[in-house]
Amino acid sequence: MAPKDKKEIEFIHDISNQVVIAQGGAGFVLSRLQKKNKFEEDELESLKKIVDAISQISQLIHDQKSRFRASS
């Protein structure tokens, strides 16, 4: 494996950990707010969009990690 590939894999690994934390935290907050009904409709829609965006980022990272594993 080339040094550049190793650095890219390390970067993807490091960032994926943070994305997973953000995804879990945002999902938790969304769930709690929905249960308590303590939100305005526009706030709920914004938080849903944030959770969806984090999920999409997580999937892109997962796909890239899979490509690196396949090429190693």
Side-chain angles (χ1 to χ4, degrees):
M1 181 182 314
K4 181 182 179 220
D5 290 343
K6 185 172 171 39
K7 286 183 180 185
E8 289 175 354
I9 291 169
E10 287 175 8
F11 172 76
I12 289 171
H13 176 75
D14 292 345
I15 200 165
S16 69
N17 289 339
Q18 298 305 311
V19 170
V20 168
I21 292 168
Q23 185 177 23
F28 175 77
V29 170
L30 176 60
S31 174
R32 295 293 296 243
L33 289 175
Q34 286 176 315
K35 287 179 184 176
K36 292 180 179 184
N37 280 333
K38 291 192 175 191
F39 55 84
E40 298 294 324
E41 191 61 33
D42 61 333
E43 294 170 331
L44 177 63
E45 289 304 313
S46 292
L47 191 51
K48 284 181 181 178
K49 287 179 183 178
I50 292 166
V51 171
D52 288 344
I54 294 170
S55 293
Q56 289 175 12
I57 292 167
S58 182
Q59 185 61 50
L60 290 169
I61 292 169
H62 175 76
D63 293 347
Q64 188 64 32
K65 284 169 87 172
S66 295
R67 280 188 226 121
F68 275 122
R69 287 185 189 124
S71 68
S72 297

